[in-house]
Amino acid sequence: MACIAEDNPCFIAGDDVYYDLTFTDILGVAKDLTSATAVMDLRDGVTNAAVAQSMTGGITTALSGQMRFTLTDVESAALVARTEVSKSFDFSVKVTYSDATEQTILFGKITFEQ
């Protein structure tokens, strides 16, 4: 199975973070995510199985494939040590369907800067 998309967003550590996305098929038609769940996890590295931070949220409008993931200002500030200018994490968005199958629909690097 191929990954659907890749993205590399950047945010300011200490800000509230809102990450919105719509899951569509190759023709741009929104996927119906009724009875599905979605998670967005941040990891220190691709081979690191430990999740550094899970973003709150998930599917907001199932019929139109819409999702929103968030971090509070405190959570985003905690990701970057005061001695660091910025820090990047590998992230993935995974959908679990009602039949328990899973699909990673988005991945990339997410960066937080001071």
Side-chain angles (χ1 to χ4, degrees):
M1 171 185 330
C3 290
I4 301 299
E6 183 177 359
D7 192 23
N8 299 300
C10 184
F11 298 99
I12 302 299
D15 282 356
D16 290 318
V17 173
Y18 301 95
Y19 189 78
D20 296 313
L21 63 116
T22 301
F23 185 28
T24 61
D25 66 17
I26 197 164
L27 299 174
V29 176
K31 297 279 243 171
D32 182 353
L33 298 175
T34 300
S35 300
T37 60
V39 296
M40 182 172 177
D41 292 328
L42 311 181
R43 291 180 168 75
D44 282 329
V46 172
T47 59
N48 185 352
V51 174
Q53 177 72 50
S54 288
M55 294 183 71
T56 304
I59 298 167
T60 55
T61 309
L63 286 175
S64 58
Q66 294 177 324
M67 298 172 231
R68 172 175 268 192
F69 298 98
T70 64
L71 292 174
T72 66
D73 55 346
V74 173
E75 290 170 326
S76 71
L79 292 172
V80 184
R82 297 300 283 162
T83 57
E84 296 176 302
V85 173
S86 68
K87 185 164 184 180
S88 292
F89 296 88
D90 294 314
F91 81 90
S92 62
V93 176
K94 184 181 287 187
V95 172
T96 303
Y97 299 97
S98 59
D99 65 358
T101 58
E102 297 178 331
Q103 180 182 20
T104 298
I105 62 166
L106 184 67
F107 69 94
K109 291 269 188 203
I110 187 169
T111 302
F112 294 89
E113 296 182 348
Q114 292 289 5

